[in-house]
Amino acid sequence: EMADTHLERNTITYSAALSACEKGEQWVRALQLFREMADSCVEKDTITCSAAVRACGKCGQWLEALQLFHGMAYSQVERDTIAYSAAVSACE
């Protein structure tokens, strides 16, 4: 967990970690980090949400990816072209 490191827990560090999860095809870890953000009171943004959607989508976890995508609207996070692209790619 990021809580066990000396890194500052913020949107930038979580975005980087989520992108690493995508590249390493670690969708479960990406979901854990995404949930940890809320527990750590780190605000989610379009970049972090899209990274989590991509991490799930890359591993064929389209349902989880779409749930995250829909959750963006609920959390009042802007769904931009990158977010829509990540959601569509998850369904391919």
Side-chain angles (χ1 to χ4, degrees):
E1 290 185 4
M2 286 182 63
D4 296 335
T5 67
H6 295 290
L7 291 174
E8 180 181 351
R9 289 179 283 171
N10 59 35
T11 304
I12 295 169
T13 54
Y14 274 104
S15 293
L18 288 165
S19 292
C21 288
E22 175 196 359
K23 288 176 181 59
E25 298 186 12
Q26 298 293 317
W27 68 274
V28 173
R29 184 67 181 124
L31 289 178
Q32 291 170 341
L33 285 169
F34 195 72
R35 291 185 187 112
E36 184 181 304
M37 286 182 73
D39 295 342
S40 301
C41 299
V42 175
E43 187 173 341
K44 297 172 185 167
D45 65 8
T46 303
I47 296 169
T48 55
C49 292
S50 296
V53 170
R54 284 192 311 273
C56 290
K58 185 172 183 179
C59 296
Q61 302 300 317
W62 61 270
L63 183 58
E64 286 82 0
L66 291 181
Q67 288 174 341
L68 290 169
F69 178 75
H70 289 294
M72 290 173 73
Y74 177 77
S75 299
Q76 298 180 335
V77 174
E78 179 185 0
R79 296 188 294 182
D80 64 3
T81 305
I82 295 169
Y84 275 96
S85 177
V88 169
S89 294
C91 297
E92 295 180 330

